[in-house]
Amino acid sequence: MKLYVLLSTLIVIASCQKSNDPPPVNDKPQRLTIEGKNIKTPDGNVIELRGVNWGWWETAQPQDATEAVAMGARVVRMPFRWYFGGDGSNIRQTDAPGHIKPEGLQLLDQYINWCTEQKIWVLLFAGSDQGAGDSTENYWTNASLKKEFIETWEFLVQRYKNKPYIAAYELLSEPHPKKPVTNQQVVSFYEDVISAIRKHDTLTPLMIGPNDHYDINLLEESITTKDKKIIYTFNYYLPTDYIKPDKREQAGLPIVSYPGSYNDFNGNAVNLNKDYLTQILQPAVQFRNKYNVPVFVNQMGARSRCPNNVSYLTDVCDIFYQYQIPFTYWTYRTNSDQSEYGIYWFNKTTNQYVFKPEPAAVLSAAFKRK
């Protein structure tokens, strides 16, 4: 179901602004600061940004920010989906201001307002299809597409530069250009975007992550000296054998339970438990300590069909707390069924969202830990 059909009523109700007018701003916007490994509030206190993704943003509801605050969340990771074409092209429009569809921009304004009105931080990230590297037409092979994408970021940064509670701009989610593009070329792309953004906003932190879909083991390859206000991010969908049971099924292998023992795709014996989850987090901990920079898990979670997924989620949250790793859970609402991710899943028979109390309780406890 398309974004603008689903929420056409909200567009009318939510905003009377012209699509190319910036939203209202405060004279002194609140901004986070970076000090070594720490992310700090504007008044200088360390903050651990724990929260949720509004991953498929057409699912967002007016009450979601209020609910997130009640759960204890401090941040919402929010996308603008900037796609090249096809069914996924739900915000990009080359000839529009900022290369963004006016109605999509109105929605983005509204979603950000829902959060900032509740004083919850917004991490705005760019999601892209071919641009991130799925095809030969991407930001490393097509200069005009790269230029348009950077201009979109410049437009949005100017639009929100004085908006309070903007936590950071995540420049490109999960880059994965095909070879011969190198890890260093991914960093060079980031640096070009950083240079463009800093012409308009020198305060808001920026977020980047490693090649190959934010691979935790490639964090060392993502380091840049271009800017000091950088947060480094990675995914924690680990181990793959547990998180992606469909891949095991396709390979004719038994589904992995948590905790439990199994042979991975290479035939290696694995004892999956909390100690193992701690072990595979260490590349991020070591990277943070070596470079004295903040790290952030932009996506974590487990499908509801993964056996004992609540126990897995509980242990992962405990480990993140132990190592002071901030994170956002994937995801708050989904249009998928109850077997997938999401605190809410969509029942297509009743046309209603259905709440999952167990993962929500685990996350709420994790968000509220001091």
Side-chain angles (χ1 to χ4, degrees):
M1 188 178 296
K2 294 198 178 213
L3 168 65
Y4 308 112
V5 175
L6 275 170
L7 293 172
S8 59
T9 303
L10 277 177
I11 294 173
V12 175
I13 295 174
S15 179
C16 61
Q17 300 171 337
K18 293 181 180 178
S19 63
N20 58 350
D21 289 340
V25 298
N26 292 343
D27 291 333
K28 295 182 179 180
Q30 299 197 34
R31 286 295 181 267
L32 301 173
T33 57
I34 306 299
E35 186 175 309
K37 304 171 189 176
N38 295 319
I39 304 171
K40 292 190 172 184
T41 62
D43 57 4
N45 294 317
V46 175
I47 183 174
E48 285 200 32
L49 293 172
R50 307 184 191 116
V52 295
N53 279 272
W54 287 4
W56 298 106
W57 67 304
E58 67 268 29
T59 65
Q61 304 293 304
Q63 69 272 22
D64 287 356
T66 304
E67 289 184 7
V69 170
M71 289 179 67
R74 293 185 173 185
V75 64
V76 167
R77 182 172 178 261
M78 184 182 301
F80 68 92
R81 298 287 181 185
W82 202 83
Y83 287 176
F84 290 173
D87 293 338
S89 182
N90 60 5
I91 198 168
R92 178 173 178 257
Q93 182 178 321
T94 298
D95 59 355
H99 310 304
I100 297 176
K101 292 179 180 179
E103 60 268 38
L105 188 57
Q106 285 181 330
L107 284 174
L108 189 57
D109 285 347
Q110 183 60 73
Y111 293 163
I112 290 174
N113 285 340
W114 286 346
C115 293
T116 59
E117 287 166 3
Q118 297 298 320
K119 299 182 179 181
I120 190 169
W121 292 94
V122 174
L123 168 56
L124 184 63
F125 78 91
S128 188
D129 51 2
Q130 291 99 324
D134 274 336
S135 74
T136 55
E137 286 292 307
N138 58 48
Y139 301 134
W140 294 270
T141 62
N142 189 317
S144 63
L145 290 174
K146 175 183 173 181
K147 178 176 181 291
E148 186 177 333
F149 179 75
I150 291 176
E151 289 171 350
T152 295
W153 261 125
E154 289 185 277
F155 174 84
L156 290 174
V157 165
Q158 291 179 79
R159 188 175 187 82
Y160 300 128
K161 68 178 295 184
N162 294 317
K163 186 77 174 171
Y165 291 100
I166 300 296
Y169 297 120
E170 184 183 338
L171 304 186
L172 180 64
S173 180
E174 299 181 322
H176 50 280
K178 295 180 178 180
K179 294 180 179 179
V181 178
T182 65
N183 295 330
Q184 185 53 50
Q185 285 177 286
V186 172
V187 173
S188 295
F189 168 80
Y190 283 143
E191 291 177 342
D192 288 344
V193 183
I194 291 168
S195 295
I197 287 176
R198 289 308 189 212
K199 294 176 184 176
H200 311 287
D201 181 345
T202 60
L203 296 178
T204 307
L206 305 177
M207 186 175 287
I208 63 174
N211 195 7
D212 197 15
H213 301 271
Y214 282 168
D215 187 340
I216 188 174
N217 295 302
L218 293 177
L219 275 166
E220 286 261 358
E221 305 298 327
S222 66
I223 200 75
T224 178
T225 59
K226 187 72 173 180
D227 195 276
K228 294 183 178 180
K229 300 183 180 70
I230 300 289
I231 302 168
Y232 291 87
T233 191
F234 60 98
N235 288 342
Y236 192 89
Y237 289 134
L238 300 172
T240 301
D241 292 82
Y242 175 71
I243 294 297
K244 297 183 178 181
D246 53 315
K247 289 186 177 294
R248 300 276 299 183
E249 290 173 330
Q250 292 166 8
L253 298 173
I255 300 300
V256 175
S257 185
Y258 184 85
S261 299
Y262 66 93
N263 290 327
D264 66 17
F265 290 105
N266 296 319
N268 300 313
V270 176
N271 186 20
L272 177 58
N273 54 28
K274 192 173 183 178
D275 288 340
Y276 184 74
L277 296 179
T278 303
Q279 175 187 332
I280 57 181
L281 179 66
Q282 293 314 299
V285 176
Q286 293 164 5
F287 170 82
R288 178 182 63 182
N289 294 341
K290 177 178 179 179
Y291 292 98
N292 194 31
V293 293
V295 295
F296 179 86
V297 177
N298 69 100
Q299 294 177 32
M300 57 82 75
R303 292 173 167 86
S304 292
R305 65 171 298 207
C306 296
N308 297 324
N309 62 89
V310 174
S311 295
Y312 167 87
L313 183 61
T314 300
D315 282 354
V316 170
C317 287
D318 281 347
I319 295 165
F320 288 173
Y321 178 77
Q322 177 186 351
Y323 287 95
Q324 297 180 303
I325 304 285
F327 67 91
T328 44
Y329 173 79
W330 185 271
T331 185
Y332 198 68
R333 292 182 189 267
T334 177
N335 280 336
S336 300
D337 63 29
Q338 66 266 42
S339 72
E340 287 293 320
Y341 299 100
I343 295 175
Y344 284 92
W345 63 279
F346 191 70
N347 188 322
K348 295 181 180 179
T349 301
T350 63
N351 205 38
Q352 292 180 329
Y353 285 102
V354 182
F355 183 63
K356 296 180 183 178
E358 289 187 333
V362 171
L363 290 167
S364 183
F367 295 160
K368 293 176 180 178
R369 292 178 79 168
K370 301 297 184 183

